[in-house]
């Protein structure tokens, strides 16, 4: 498919009755406000999520109480500042040189640069820098735990760094983000000899995966585009099951049609039922994810269907907030390592971008080393890394229990390489045995993770064994989906029904006759095995 400067163009629209396609304070204060704020006394931000420690400005619960006939959107509107917004963002070619002048408004429908390369959302960093790091830390911290629209969302609590110009009325949010940063105490100690291991549970989320973080941003922007009468009839994606779930849920919440292309028989039942239940138009296509991705790219260049995959750089703006959240949850201390499972490879770049923005804007003084973990059955990035980044070759992705990363031709390969090179990063891989064992081991310590998180944990185990990651260093493993989406893989594993897999940590249920003696026998044996050895 040729992209002519990739501005959304439709031959079909011009022939049919589709609309024409040619058009293309707020302050958080746990501490005194940084002096820089006084230069912006007509604040860039609204006042609804601000709390102040200064006595003459302290919030009055009665006065600020929501009016009886208001909802939280109305309330936010009442509090909104009339001051001019000084922040902005635009699309630019990804990793463009300093001489590049190519850029697009976020209100344009564009996914690729003139040369066919990836795009990136570029913020006006000078405007953001007018506020110092302490200001941003305080602002973001002040929004946690409140129900204020839209800042209750872990994503929109960073609104100024995402879509600074969007009207909060256009935002479509399920108050995603603010996910648990779980201290993996027992897993770390028992299997890795680590006591500072953390799992960022991005999958404990509205639709059960980290995709919600990006989708709230993308669907909000689509909502805005539709209000601006831009030609967006629906939103579409190719998916291995999580993007489609998030897309269909957010679109359903906003009343926007969604269309999802799924590789037939390659996603879990739980994932399949999500877009069906949310009223998406579901196409089950007899190909793999890469085949679906190719088709959706072709279709979205012909029809007024907005592309929701992470090729669209808007998605990564939302996903980058998980990195900012990790720093926030550690009280703005930087972990040493962050390990992310990779498939289409948008997320590893999103993490890099989130960390890097925090460094550039003075919230932290360094960034973590990143690890991207792939399934050995779908490992084009790993192969590229092993070749010393000499030659990238797409692969035919083979079946893997980590089905959401069964991707052989990742669209964000360039973004991933950039993120890894600039974070002194590493790529690792996990065989099917390794990832399933790691998942079972993690589950045995009280987690209930997805196979993709098993891939990331395998990478950690390998890096611990080789001594690259030391025992005492603070490490975060990103868990990308909820384990309940992948119960069949756990059932297969614990039933030891997987051909050629030892299933070393299987814990099958015991069949027992319905009589007291039989039950006592098995219990006595079980308890005997568990008795502490004296
Ligand atoms: C559960 C899960 N984990 C990891 C990934 C990989 O993310 P990315 O495609 O951004 O590399 C995906 C999707 O690809 C996913 O659905
Ligand atoms: N795992 C993804 C694959 C597509 O990734 P995307 O981030 O480019 O949408 C999925 O769940 O579909």
């Amino acid at each position: 498919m040729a992209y002519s400067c990739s501005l959304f163009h439709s031959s079909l629209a011009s022939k049919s009755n589709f609309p024409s396609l040619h058009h293309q304070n707020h302050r958080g204060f746990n501490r005194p406000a940084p002096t820089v704020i006084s230069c912006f006394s007509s604040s860039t931000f609204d006042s609804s999520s601000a709390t102040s420690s200064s006595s003459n400005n302290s919030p009055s619960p009665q006065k600020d109480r929501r009016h009886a006939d208001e909802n939280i959107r109305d309330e936010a509107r009442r509090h909104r500042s009339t001051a001019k917004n000084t922040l902005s963002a635009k699309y630019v070619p990804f990793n463009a040189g300093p001489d590049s002048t190519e850029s697009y408004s976020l209100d344009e429908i564009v996914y690729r640069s003139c040369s066919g390369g990836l795009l990136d959302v570029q913020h006006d960093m000078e405007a953001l820098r007018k506020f110092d790091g302490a200001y941003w830390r305080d602002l973001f911290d002040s929004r946690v735990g409140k129900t204020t629209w839209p800042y209750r969302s872990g994503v929109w609590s960073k609104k100024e760094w995402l879509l600074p110009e969007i009207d909060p009325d256009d935002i479509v949010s399920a108050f995603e983000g603010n996910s648990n940063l779980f201290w993996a105490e027992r897993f770390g100690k028992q299997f890795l000899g680590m006591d500072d291991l953390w799992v960022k549970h991005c999958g404990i989320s509205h639709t059960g995966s980290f995709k919600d973080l990006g989708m709230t941003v993308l669907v909000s922007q689509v909502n805005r585009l539709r209000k601006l009468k831009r030609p967006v009839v629906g939103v579409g994606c190719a998916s291995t099951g999580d993007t489609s779930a998030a897309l269909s849920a957010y679109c359903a919440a906003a009343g926007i049609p969604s269309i999802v292309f799924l590789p037939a028989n390659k996603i879990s039942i739980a994932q399949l039922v999500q877009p069906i239940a949310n009223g998406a138009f579901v196409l089950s296509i007899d190909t793999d994810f890469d085949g679906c991705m190719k088709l959706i790219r072709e279709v979205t260049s012909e029809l007024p269907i907005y592309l929701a995959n992470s090729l669209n750089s808007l998605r990564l703006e939302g996903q980058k907030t998980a990195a900012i959240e990790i720093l926030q949850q550690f009280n703005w201390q930087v972990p040493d390592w962050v390990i992310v499972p990779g498939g289409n490879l948008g997320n590893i770049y999103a993490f890099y971008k989130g960390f890097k923005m925090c460094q550039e804007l003075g919230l932290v003084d360094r960034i973590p080393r990143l690890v991207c973990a792939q399934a050995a059955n779908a490992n084009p990035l790993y192969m590229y890394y092993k070749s010393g980044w000499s030659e990238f070759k797409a692969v035919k992705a083979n079946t893997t229990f980590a089905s959401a990363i069964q991707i052989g031709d990742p669209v964000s390969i360039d973004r991933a390489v950039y993120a890894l090179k600039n974070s002194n990063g590493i790529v690792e891989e996990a065989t099917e045995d390794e990832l399933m064992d790691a998942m079972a081991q993690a589950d045995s310590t009280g987690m209930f993770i997805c196979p993709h998180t098993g891939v990331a944990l395998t990478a950690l185990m390998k890096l611990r064994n080789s001594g690259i990651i030391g025992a005492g260093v603070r490490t975060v493993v990103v868990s990308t989906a909820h384990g309940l989406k992948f119960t069949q893989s756990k059932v297969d594993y614990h039933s030891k029904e997987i051909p050629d897999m030892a299933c070393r940590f299987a814990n099958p249920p015991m069949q027992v006759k319905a009589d007291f003696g039989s039950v006592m026998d098995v219990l006595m044996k079980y308890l005997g095995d568990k008795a502490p050895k004296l």
Side-chain angles (χ1 to χ4, degrees):
M1 172 55 51
Y3 288 85
S4 61
C5 238
S6 292
L7 284 177
F8 192 100
H9 176 86
S10 164
S11 52
L12 192 145
S14 53
K15 290 183 219 134
S16 72
N17 53 5
F18 282 119
S20 162
L21 304 180
H22 286 280
H23 37 137
Q24 270 285 299
N25 225 338
H26 177 109
R27 305 170 210 178
F29 303 104
N30 305 325
R31 58 198 296 289
T35 48
V36 68
I37 288 175
S38 61
C39 315
F40 290 80
S41 52
S42 58
S43 170
T44 304
F45 315 121
D46 70 71
S47 58
S48 58
S49 72
T51 54
S52 171
S53 61
S54 76
S55 54
N56 56 359
N57 222 351
S58 58
S60 149
Q62 286 312 316
K63 190 164 113 296
D64 291 347
R65 202 182 162 140
R66 180 149 55 85
H67 299 170
D69 57 350
E70 275 184 339
N71 63 35
I72 56 172
R73 275 191 203 268
D74 302 329
E75 181 187 35
R77 209 175 297 124
R78 180 162 56 83
H79 283 284
R80 204 162 300 151
S81 161
T82 50
K84 187 172 158 23
N85 174 30
T86 57
L87 305 178
S88 63
K90 60 187 177 187
Y91 295 121
V92 296
F94 172 72
N95 197 16
D99 297 338
S100 168
T101 54
E102 187 182 341
S103 72
Y104 307 92
S105 156
L106 298 187
D107 291 336
E108 288 181 67
I109 297 171
V110 51
Y111 316 117
R112 288 265 181 196
S113 71
C114 271
S115 63
L118 295 163
L119 293 176
D120 200 14
V121 173
Q122 185 183 71
H123 291 267
D124 179 348
M125 294 298 274
E126 283 320 303
L128 289 170
R129 263 194 208 102
K130 292 193 173 134
F131 303 84
D132 67 7
Y135 173 82
W136 290 116
R137 287 196 302 261
D138 287 347
L139 180 68
F140 296 160
D141 286 346
S142 76
R143 291 170 172 170
V144 176
K146 316 279 173 13
T147 51
T148 315
W149 182 264
Y151 307 118
R152 171 67 184 84
S153 158
V155 173
W156 293 106
S157 65
K158 282 87 185 171
K159 175 178 184 292
E160 295 79 5
W161 291 22
L162 314 176
L163 297 181
E165 293 164 285
I166 197 167
D167 187 323
D169 271 352
D170 294 341
I171 289 175
V172 183
S173 169
F175 286 166
E176 51 293 304
N178 290 320
S179 59
N180 186 13
L181 183 59
F182 173 94
W183 180 32
E185 182 181 14
R186 189 169 151 224
F187 182 83
K189 275 202 185 93
Q190 185 170 329
F191 297 111
L192 296 158
M194 298 176 85
D195 64 5
D196 207 1
L197 174 63
W198 301 77
V199 177
K200 176 69 173 161
H201 277 296
C202 293
I204 303 180
S205 178
H206 181 60
T207 70
S209 87
F210 72 96
K211 305 287 179 177
D212 293 345
L213 305 176
M215 210 53 83
T216 180
V217 173
L218 184 134
V219 174
S220 297
Q221 179 64 13
V222 168
N223 204 26
R224 172 182 162 95
L225 294 175
R226 283 164 62 97
K227 288 188 186 174
L228 292 172
K229 304 276 179 254
R230 297 288 195 275
V232 181
V233 176
V235 191
C237 72
S239 186
T240 53
D242 291 323
T243 298
S244 43
L247 176 65
S248 51
Y250 282 84
C251 280
I256 299 171
S258 63
I259 301 110
V260 305
F261 288 14
L262 303 177
N265 305 319
K266 290 190 173 63
I267 70 172
S268 76
I269 291 287
Q271 289 173 311
L272 174 61
V273 81
Q274 289 183 285
I276 292 174
N278 286 143
F281 187 50
V282 179
L283 272 61
S284 176
I285 306 179
D286 190 16
T287 179
D288 56 10
F289 171 80
D290 296 300
C292 288
M293 189 70 223
K294 185 168 172 290
L295 285 167
I296 194 77
R297 282 168 68 168
E298 288 169 357
V299 165
T300 52
S301 69
E302 290 295 319
L303 294 176
I305 297 174
Y306 192 76
L307 179 66
N309 284 101
S310 58
L311 177 66
N312 187 325
S313 44
L314 283 179
R315 279 265 311 281
L316 306 182
E317 290 305 291
Q319 289 172 212
K320 80 183 178 198
T321 61
I324 306 169
E325 231 173 71
I326 289 173
L327 297 174
Q328 193 171 17
Q329 286 166 314
F330 285 134
N331 205 15
W332 305 102
Q333 289 170 6
V334 183
D336 300 294
W337 293 90
V338 174
I339 306 178
V340 186
N344 221 11
L345 299 181
N347 211 27
I348 184 77
Y349 177 69
F351 270 88
Y352 169 79
K353 190 171 183 186
F355 287 127
K356 196 67 192 167
M357 271 186 92
C358 286
Q359 186 190 26
E360 288 182 352
L361 292 170
L363 286 75
V364 295
D365 58 4
R366 65 188 177 93
I367 65 168
R369 290 185 70 181
L370 297 181
V371 179
C372 191
Q374 292 211 293
N377 280 358
N379 63 354
L381 179 72
Y382 178 77
M383 298 303 284
Y384 192 17
Y385 172 75
K386 281 288 169 193
S387 75
W389 302 124
S390 64
E391 195 195 353
F392 174 73
K393 282 201 205 101
V395 302
K396 169 88 189 132
N398 291 315
T399 304
T400 166
F401 279 102
S403 54
I405 54 174
Q406 191 182 327
I407 297 172
D409 193 8
V411 298
S412 285
I413 183 70
D414 294 346
R415 291 174 175 142
V417 173
Y418 184 91
L420 290 159
K421 284 185 178 170
N422 287 286
S423 64
N424 193 14
I426 290 177
V427 187
E428 258 301 348
E429 67 170 0
T431 64
E432 294 301 291
D433 278 273
E434 288 169 338
L435 73 91
M436 291 299 278
D437 283 348
M439 178 171 79
Q441 287 170 286
D443 287 356
S444 76
T445 65
M447 289 186 252
F448 195 75
I449 59 165
C450 69
H452 321 86
T453 311
V455 172
L457 288 174
T458 302
L460 171 59
M461 288 170 169
K462 290 184 173 178
L463 294 170
R464 270 292 293 127
N465 288 342
S466 62
I468 293 175
I469 295 187
V473 298
R474 178 170 283 180
T475 303
V476 179
V477 169
V478 176
S479 177
T480 45
H482 202 297
L484 285 171
K485 286 193 177 199
F486 299 93
T487 45
Q488 190 58 50
S489 65
K490 292 177 191 285
V491 170
D492 294 347
Y493 182 91
H494 289 291
S495 332
K496 295 194 166 218
E497 272 177 8
I498 305 172
D500 304 323
M501 192 179 283
C503 304
R504 288 191 296 142
F505 304 96
N507 178 31
M510 180 161 287
Q511 304 293 329
V512 195
K513 278 205 254 152
D515 67 70
F516 181 74
S518 305
V519 170
M520 284 299 282
D521 284 350
V522 296
L523 279 178
M524 295 302 281
K525 179 165 183 335
Y526 173 77
L527 294 174
D529 289 348
K530 295 282 165 210
K533 308 274 177 298
L534 297 175

